[in-house]
Amino acid sequence: MKNAITAEWGKIWSLRSPWFCVIAAVLLTVGMAATLANDFLYNIAQGRLPESETLAVLDPLTQAMQVSQLALVALAMLVVTSEYGTGVIRSTFLARPRRRDVLLAKTAVAAVMGFAAGLASAAAGWAAAALLLGDHAGTGEPVAACLRLAVMAMLACMFTVAAGFLLRSAAGTLTAMFVLLVGLQLVDPRIGQYLPAGAAVAFAAGDGVRNLWVLVVWTAAAHLAAGLLLVRRDA
């Protein structure tokens, strides 16, 4: 398994696209968090909010990460769909006949990339928003908040790998993940708390371990389905 993970790590970082995705995630997080913080300050300047009003840095940061994580989803998607698109996946399965090992290796690579890039994005976004808000920044725990956002990004990347094996299409995978991680926030909260989008936002906000379990269950179910299909159909 160690050799499989090393091989997958080398393959993905031999491309330029992953670097672009990581940079895009950090820049999107910083840009959106700063913009939302600036909007808050503008409302104070216009008298729409009292001068004593504060904003928790986590609020704009979570919204920013909801969008920027799509860049990390694209990164995780490349781990799988780039090989299906070029046909290299056949060589991968020939070199590693136990297909579930390929799934696990790619998932491990995506998890590490998602956590590291998510943590970097969250830390940069927190710094940007806190700097802009200044005295109007509410109290919070930056380390705990950034770690939760990194875990959220990691699980999104792991989920994406399974979706990539299930759909085998870059466009299909990206669309499905957008709906699951962002679009489903529009549904009734009573239902949304059991869906990935709602659970991710609640977990990022520090709302209990239950939401983390919702994300873990969705990710595990996707991997179970992907593992079953991998051994039942051709590459």
Side-chain angles (χ1 to χ4, degrees), residues 5 13 48 70 92 117 119 146-147 150 157 170 176 178 198-199 213 219 230:
I5 294 174
W13 289 112
R48 297 170 188 162
L70 294 177
T92 299
L119 186 60
C146 289
L147 286 174
C157 288
F178 176 82
W213 277 110
T219 303
L230 269 179

Side-chain angles (χ1 to χ4, degrees), residues 77-156:
M77 178 189 72
L78 288 172
V79 175
V80 180
T81 58
S82 62
E83 293 195 20
Y84 274 108
T86 59
V88 175
I89 193 69
R90 295 184 182 90
S91 300
T92 299
F93 287 148
L94 283 174
R96 198 80 182 182
R98 295 179 61 181
R99 296 187 174 189
R100 288 196 178 95
D101 286 354
V102 176
L103 172 62
L104 292 174
K106 289 183 180 295
T107 301
V109 169
V112 172
M113 294 190 303
F115 183 84
L119 186 60
S121 299
W126 184 286
L131 184 64
L132 269 174
L133 289 171
D135 294 336
H136 294 286
T139 58
E141 299 178 355
V143 175
C146 289
L147 286 174
R148 286 197 304 271
L149 289 168
V151 170
M152 181 183 77
M154 178 186 73
L155 289 172

Side-chain angles (χ1 to χ4, degrees), residues 6-232:
T6 302
E8 294 299 336
W9 184 267
K11 280 192 291 185
I12 192 63
W13 289 112
S14 66
L15 305 173
R16 286 178 294 179
S17 303
W19 296 104
F20 295 149
C21 291
V22 172
I23 293 171
V26 174
L27 293 180
L28 278 171
T29 304
V30 170
M32 286 200 64
T35 299
L36 293 170
N38 189 63
D39 288 344
F40 176 79
L41 295 176
Y42 180 77
N43 287 331
I44 292 178
Q46 293 296 309
R48 297 170 188 162
L49 294 172
E51 280 288 334
S52 59
E53 191 74 14
T54 61
L55 176 68
V57 178
L58 186 57
D59 290 350
L61 181 58
T62 299
Q63 295 179 58
M65 283 290 290
Q66 280 294 107
V67 176
S68 67
Q69 74 174 336
L70 294 177
L72 300 182
V73 162
L75 169 60
M77 178 189 72
L78 288 172
V79 175
V80 180
T81 58
S82 62
E83 293 195 20
Y84 274 108
T86 59
V88 175
I89 193 69
R90 295 184 182 90
S91 300
T92 299
F93 287 148
L94 283 174
R96 198 80 182 182
R98 295 179 61 181
R99 296 187 174 189
R100 288 196 178 95
D101 286 354
V102 176
L103 172 62
L104 292 174
K106 289 183 180 295
T107 301
V109 169
V112 172
M113 294 190 303
F115 183 84
L119 186 60
S121 299
W126 184 286
L131 184 64
L132 269 174
L133 289 171
D135 294 336
H136 294 286
T139 58
E141 299 178 355
V143 175
C146 289
L147 286 174
R148 286 197 304 271
L149 289 168
V151 170
M152 181 183 77
M154 178 186 73
L155 289 172
C157 288
M158 294 171 69
F159 197 166
T160 301
V161 170
F165 276 112
L166 289 170
L167 300 174
R168 300 181 174 188
S169 161
T173 302
L174 193 58
T175 300
M177 296 311 297
F178 176 82
V179 172
L180 288 169
L181 297 177
V182 179
L184 290 180
Q185 291 186 59
L186 302 176
V187 304
D188 190 308
R190 291 173 295 181
I191 301 174
Q193 63 180 325
Y194 300 108
L195 300 176
V201 172
F203 172 68
D207 187 12
V209 179
R210 185 186 66 81
N211 294 293
L212 175 60
W213 277 110
V214 171
L215 294 174
V216 170
V217 168
W218 273 89
T219 303
H223 276 80
L224 178 62
L228 290 173
L229 284 180
L230 269 179
V231 298
R232 290 175 178 270

